[in-house]
């Protein structure tokens, strides 16, 4: 049950072990540092079933430790209820976006705003690419993009 003035954001990617748990953790730290985390429901999820029950990728964990951002998550797949209960569903690439819009069509009263997280990037990098087959550098790029986008998103919703 949402209280007055509360908002909610669900970060989504393909497997919910690389990009979306990083985005969730970065946003939660920013909201905490801004003193508003209690006004937010923050979570992340996958479009796929690939990694359900698994922790974040070890490369992402190493990146977040390097930046002193707490990250603790167990991968889950997005549910029909998510489309009704979150204000924002923020995803990483066009494949996530089309998959989410397809799933939303099967939900009677889907009210979430489904957007690319990259649409908030002041550097206009619209897509946050999947680092699964990539390097530590690719995870660092995901982190930097999430910092820029989450900063703008929080500012816009404060
Ligand atoms: N798919 C793709 C893909 C395409 C391009 C770049 C990355 C990926 C890619 C592949 C993954 N797991 C390997 C394939 C999984 N199996 C696919 C067939 C069904 C049974 C599961 C990922 C796992 C977690 C997070 C991101 C991932 N991303």
């Amino acid at each position: 049950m949402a209280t007055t003035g509360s908002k909610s954001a669900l970060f989504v990617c393909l497997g919910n072990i690389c990009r979306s748990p990083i985005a969730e953790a970065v946003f939660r730290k920013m909201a905490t540092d801004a003193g508003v985390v209690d006004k937010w429901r923050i979570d992340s999820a996958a479009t796929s079933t690939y990694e359900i029950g698994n922790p974040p990728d070890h490369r992402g964990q190493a990146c977040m430790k390097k930046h002193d951002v707490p990250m603790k998550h167990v991968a889950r797949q997005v549910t029909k209820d998510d489309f009704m209960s979150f204000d924002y569903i923020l995803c990483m690439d066009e494949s996530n976006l089309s998959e989410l819009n397809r799933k939303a069509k099967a939900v009677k009263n889907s009210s979430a705003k489904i957007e690319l997280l990259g649409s908030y990037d002041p550097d206009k990098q619209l897509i946050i690419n999947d680092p699964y087959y990539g390097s530590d550098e690719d995870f660092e790029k995901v982190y930097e993009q999430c910092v820029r986008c989450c900063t703008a998103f929080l500012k816009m919703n404060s």
Side-chain angles (χ1 to χ4, degrees), residues 78-132:
V78 67
T79 66
K80 285 184 185 276
D81 181 71
D82 290 330
F83 291 94
M84 293 185 270
S85 64
F86 279 91
D87 298 314
Y88 292 93
I89 298 180
L90 301 171
C91 64
M92 308 296 153
D93 60 34
E94 293 293 352
S95 163
N96 306 155
L97 190 62
S98 54
E99 188 61 7
L100 287 166
N101 284 323
R102 186 188 63 76
K103 288 176 185 285
K105 283 196 196 77
V107 177
K108 228 158 57 108
N109 37 8
S110 164
S111 54
K113 289 181 213 61
I114 304 170
E115 302 173 336
L116 285 169
L117 177 59
S119 67
Y120 292 89
D121 188 356
D123 290 2
K124 304 294 177 202
Q125 298 296 302
L126 188 60
I127 303 301
I128 300 176
N129 287 307
D130 188 342
Y132 184 77

Side-chain angles (χ1 to χ4, degrees), residues 13-19 48 50-51 130 132-133:
C13 65
L14 177 63
N16 193 213
I17 62 164
C18 295
R19 293 167 289 177
S48 78
Y50 295 176
E51 302 285 345
D130 188 342
Y132 184 77
Y133 292 119

